[in-house]
């Protein structure tokens, strides 16, 4: 699709999901018909909301470019394995341009498709009578709209805490049906500021938190999920007391160390607050999200990316996560510190598992970081996690050592789940990869680009070239 902002509005305004790509065909039962008459029951509205979840599913779990993995490939957590297929090397080597395709196009198109489906639901919500069902549908749609816009602005725009000029810099187009943004099918909207985007995101999420139900089933948002999203968004926006308040509303307990292996093989859902259900009986088909890190054939698992040498060796032997998230990979007579988080379900190496979007551990780490920023007792909060992850640890940090400990635990706990690049970006820190090689002992080929300066323009991905060409009001990011 050449211009998802403009063309999708056109499609929806005519009331048809036309067969212009496979993604729209996935949005069953929206094959044809007028939304004003289609949305006439709670089940029909939930089908609409499920279509929006599906679009999130598409860009988080894409086999080659999923948001679950690319932010780690862009960061200092991994090094490309020379005996792999060298997939996504344009991203790993910071050579992406507006026409690169892959993640650049995928996130833009699928996120705006999620936004447009959510707006369809919101536009017709008064077809339902007042009550809990209507509130829950509206709450889900608002939260999905905010979630998709949040992903868009953190990928293509700056993050408020990243730099002094971030809030005034260009974000993305925030599409709200209530504001008439979807009425003109030929509109060519302009980018808004990052500050404006975050205000809209938070407004939608805060409203959703008061409407959404407590349990909507697997792979769907609920009260815990919205507050968990708010804890993340507030952190990115530097609203630290609100981070703490939102985190305190999340009731999901942390996974224990013993539960982690089953968590990553989909044998349990310990500590999961928000997930996108890829590998379930309720979904027809699925994407092998783990293939960003490794490929499999009949005889072996071939690593695409492995642990950065210094990162792997910084993880203590008393850390019970180490053996869960890594294994010794063997390929072409070389050994690698390979990534095991997304190998597959128990006994499988096909990379097909659910995407763990937000876990209770992240919510707790959001809270710990916010407490540190406010001079509150962050150590006690951090130790809640460390008590469940280490055989033993020293602890007792204060000052800069405590801040470093919080960020280190965040890096290890959330590794390979799509956080590291954004964490460096929002904190205004550079990417600093090891200069060692890809093989297990540090030999092999070191990275071509070990450092990305904190002020480098490549922390913001380029707007896709098709969008620039189709919309004369769309401004490209600096540097591209």
């Amino acid at each position: 699709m050449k211009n998802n902002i403009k063309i999708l509005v056109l499609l929806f305004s005519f009331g048809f999901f036309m067969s212009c790509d496979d993604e729209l065909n996935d949005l069953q039962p929206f094959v044809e018909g007028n939304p004003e008459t289609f949305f006439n029951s709670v089940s029909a509205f939930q089908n609409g909301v499920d279509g929006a979840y599906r679009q999130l599913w598409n860009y988080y779990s894409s086999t080659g470019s999923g948001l679950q993995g690319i932010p780690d490939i862009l960061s200092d957590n991994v090094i490309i394995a020379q005996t792999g297929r060298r997939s996504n090397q344009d991203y790993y080597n910071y050579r992406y341009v507006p026409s690169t395709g892959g993640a650049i196009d995928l996130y833009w198109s699928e996120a705006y498709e999620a936004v447009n489906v959510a707006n369809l639901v919101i536009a017709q919500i008064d077809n339902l009578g007042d009550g809990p069902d209507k509130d829950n549908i509206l709450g889900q749609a608002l939260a999905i709209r905010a979630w998709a816009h949040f992903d868009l602005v953190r990928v293509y725009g700056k993050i408020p805490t990243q730099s002094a000029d971030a809030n005034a810099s260009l974000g993305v187009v925030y599409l709200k049906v209530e504001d008439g943004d979807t009425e003109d099918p030929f509109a060519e909207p302009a980018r808004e500021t990052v500050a404006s985007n975050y205000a809209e995101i938070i407004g939608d999420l805060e409203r959703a938190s008061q409407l959404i139900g407590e349990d909507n089933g697997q792979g769907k948002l609920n009260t815990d999920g919205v507050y968990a999203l708010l804890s993340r968004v507030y952190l990115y926006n530097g609203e630290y007391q609100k981070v703490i308040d939102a985190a305190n509303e999340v009731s999901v307990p942390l996974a224990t160390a013993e539960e982690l292996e089953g968590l990553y093989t989909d044998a349990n859902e310990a500590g999961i607050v928000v997930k996108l259900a890829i590998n379930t009986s309720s979904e027809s088909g699925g994407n092998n999200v783990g293939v960003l890190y490794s490929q499999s054939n009949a005889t072996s698992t071939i690593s695409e990316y492995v642990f950065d040498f210094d990162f792997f060796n910084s993880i203590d032997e008393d850390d019970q996560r180490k053996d869960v998230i890594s294994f010794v990979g063997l390929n072409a007579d070389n050994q690698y510190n390979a990534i095991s988080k997304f190998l597959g379900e128990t006994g499988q190496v096909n990379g097909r598992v659910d995407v763990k979007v937000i876990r209770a551990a992240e919510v707790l780490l959001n809270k710990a970081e916010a407490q540190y920023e406010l001079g509150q007792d962050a150590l006690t909060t951090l130790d809640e996690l460390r008590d469940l992850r280490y055989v033993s640890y020293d602890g007792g940090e204060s000052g800069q050592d405590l801040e470093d400990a919080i960020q280190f635990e965040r890096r290890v706990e959330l590794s390979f789940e799509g956080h590291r690049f954004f964490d460096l970006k929002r904190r205004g820190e550079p990417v600093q990869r090891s200069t060692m090689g890809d093989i297990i002992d540090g030999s092999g080929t070191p990275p071509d680009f070990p450092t990305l300066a904190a002020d480098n323009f490549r922390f913001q991905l380029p707007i896709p070239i098709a969008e620039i060409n189709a919309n004369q009001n769309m401004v490209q990011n600096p540097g591209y």
Side-chain angles (χ1 to χ4, degrees), residues 6 31 52 62 70 110 114 122 171 209 244 318 334-335 341 388 451 455:
K6 186 166 65 176
V31 177
S62 168
I70 292 293
E110 299 296 342
I122 294 166
S209 72
I244 297 164
D318 280 339
N334 295 320
Q335 288 186 326
K341 262 193 179 182
L388 295 175
T451 301
D455 61 355

Short mmCIF file of all heavy atoms in Angstrom, two decimals, residues 6 31 52 62 70 110 114 122 171 209 244 318 334-335 341 388 451 455:
data_model
loop_
_atom_site.label_atom_id
_atom_site.label_comp_id
_atom_site.label_asym_id
_atom_site.label_seq_id
_atom_site.Cartn_x
_atom_site.Cartn_y
_atom_site.Cartn_z
N LYS A 6 -3.45 7.80 4.16
CA LYS A 6 -4.46 8.35 3.26
C LYS A 6 -5.33 7.26 2.64
O LYS A 6 -6.55 7.35 2.65
CB LYS A 6 -3.77 9.15 2.15
CG LYS A 6 -4.74 9.89 1.24
CD LYS A 6 -4.02 10.92 0.40
CE LYS A 6 -3.06 10.29 -0.57
NZ LYS A 6 -2.43 11.30 -1.45
N VAL A 31 -15.01 -8.18 5.34
CA VAL A 31 -14.74 -8.37 3.93
C VAL A 31 -15.44 -7.28 3.12
O VAL A 31 -14.90 -6.73 2.19
CB VAL A 31 -15.19 -9.77 3.48
CG1 VAL A 31 -14.98 -9.95 1.99
CG2 VAL A 31 -14.41 -10.82 4.24
N ALA A 52 -8.15 -5.27 14.96
CA ALA A 52 -7.09 -4.32 15.32
C ALA A 52 -5.94 -5.03 16.03
O ALA A 52 -4.77 -4.73 15.78
CB ALA A 52 -7.68 -3.22 16.20
N SER A 62 6.22 -10.31 12.87
CA SER A 62 6.68 -10.57 11.52
C SER A 62 7.93 -11.45 11.53
O SER A 62 8.87 -11.22 12.29
CB SER A 62 7.00 -9.26 10.80
OG SER A 62 7.69 -9.48 9.60
N ILE A 70 13.86 -6.47 16.24
CA ILE A 70 14.70 -5.47 15.57
C ILE A 70 15.34 -4.48 16.56
O ILE A 70 16.51 -4.12 16.40
CB ILE A 70 13.91 -4.72 14.48
CG1 ILE A 70 13.58 -5.67 13.31
CG2 ILE A 70 14.67 -3.50 13.97
CD1 ILE A 70 14.78 -6.14 12.52
N GLU A 110 1.40 -1.37 9.25
CA GLU A 110 0.56 -2.18 10.13
C GLU A 110 0.06 -1.39 11.33
O GLU A 110 -1.07 -1.60 11.80
CB GLU A 110 1.34 -3.42 10.59
CG GLU A 110 1.77 -4.34 9.47
CD GLU A 110 0.61 -4.98 8.72
OE1 GLU A 110 -0.52 -5.00 9.26
OE2 GLU A 110 0.82 -5.45 7.59
N ALA A 114 -3.87 -0.77 12.33
CA ALA A 114 -4.47 -0.98 13.65
C ALA A 114 -5.22 0.27 14.11
O ALA A 114 -6.33 0.19 14.66
CB ALA A 114 -3.38 -1.34 14.66
N ILE A 122 -14.54 2.86 17.27
CA ILE A 122 -14.87 4.03 18.08
C ILE A 122 -15.97 4.85 17.42
O ILE A 122 -16.88 5.35 18.09
CB ILE A 122 -13.60 4.88 18.33
CG1 ILE A 122 -12.61 4.09 19.19
CG2 ILE A 122 -13.95 6.21 18.99
CD1 ILE A 122 -11.21 4.68 19.22
N GLY A 171 6.82 14.31 15.50
CA GLY A 171 6.40 12.96 15.81
C GLY A 171 5.73 12.33 14.61
O GLY A 171 6.30 12.28 13.52
N SER A 209 -8.32 3.13 30.70
CA SER A 209 -8.16 2.49 32.02
C SER A 209 -9.43 2.53 32.84
O SER A 209 -9.63 1.67 33.72
CB SER A 209 -7.01 3.16 32.78
OG SER A 209 -7.38 4.46 33.23
N ILE A 244 4.97 5.23 38.84
CA ILE A 244 4.81 4.47 40.08
C ILE A 244 3.34 4.18 40.35
O ILE A 244 2.96 3.04 40.68
CB ILE A 244 5.43 5.25 41.26
CG1 ILE A 244 6.94 5.41 41.04
CG2 ILE A 244 5.15 4.55 42.59
CD1 ILE A 244 7.59 6.47 41.92
N ASP A 318 25.73 -16.65 39.04
CA ASP A 318 24.65 -16.86 40.01
C ASP A 318 23.30 -16.34 39.52
O ASP A 318 22.30 -16.45 40.23
CB ASP A 318 25.00 -16.17 41.34
CG ASP A 318 25.97 -16.98 42.19
OD1 ASP A 318 26.07 -18.20 41.97
OD2 ASP A 318 26.64 -16.38 43.06
N ASN A 334 32.02 -23.81 14.62
CA ASN A 334 32.20 -22.71 15.57
C ASN A 334 31.16 -22.81 16.67
O ASN A 334 30.02 -23.21 16.44
CB ASN A 334 32.05 -21.35 14.88
CG ASN A 334 33.13 -21.11 13.85
OD1 ASN A 334 34.29 -21.43 14.08
ND2 ASN A 334 32.74 -20.53 12.72
N GLN A 335 31.55 -22.38 17.88
CA GLN A 335 30.61 -22.30 18.99
C GLN A 335 30.23 -20.83 19.21
O GLN A 335 31.06 -19.93 19.06
CB GLN A 335 31.23 -22.87 20.26
CG GLN A 335 31.37 -24.38 20.26
CD GLN A 335 31.85 -24.91 21.60
OE1 GLN A 335 32.63 -24.26 22.29
NE2 GLN A 335 31.39 -26.09 21.96
N LYS A 341 15.79 -17.62 23.99
CA LYS A 341 14.48 -17.14 24.45
C LYS A 341 13.34 -17.48 23.50
O LYS A 341 12.23 -17.71 23.94
CB LYS A 341 14.52 -15.61 24.65
CG LYS A 341 14.75 -15.18 26.08
CD LYS A 341 14.48 -13.70 26.27
CE LYS A 341 14.70 -13.28 27.71
NZ LYS A 341 14.41 -11.86 27.94
N LEU A 388 14.32 -13.06 43.11
CA LEU A 388 13.78 -14.17 42.33
C LEU A 388 14.68 -14.60 41.18
O LEU A 388 14.37 -15.56 40.48
CB LEU A 388 12.41 -13.77 41.75
CG LEU A 388 11.29 -13.51 42.74
CD1 LEU A 388 10.05 -13.00 42.02
CD2 LEU A 388 10.96 -14.79 43.52
N THR A 451 29.76 1.60 17.55
CA THR A 451 29.21 2.73 18.31
C THR A 451 28.23 3.52 17.46
O THR A 451 28.47 3.76 16.28
CB THR A 451 30.34 3.66 18.77
OG1 THR A 451 31.26 2.93 19.59
CG2 THR A 451 29.78 4.82 19.59
N ASP A 455 23.51 11.30 19.78
CA ASP A 455 22.83 12.31 18.97
C ASP A 455 22.75 11.94 17.50
O ASP A 455 22.39 12.77 16.66
CB ASP A 455 23.51 13.67 19.12
CG ASP A 455 24.97 13.66 18.67
OD1 ASP A 455 25.48 12.57 18.32
OD2 ASP A 455 25.57 14.75 18.65
#
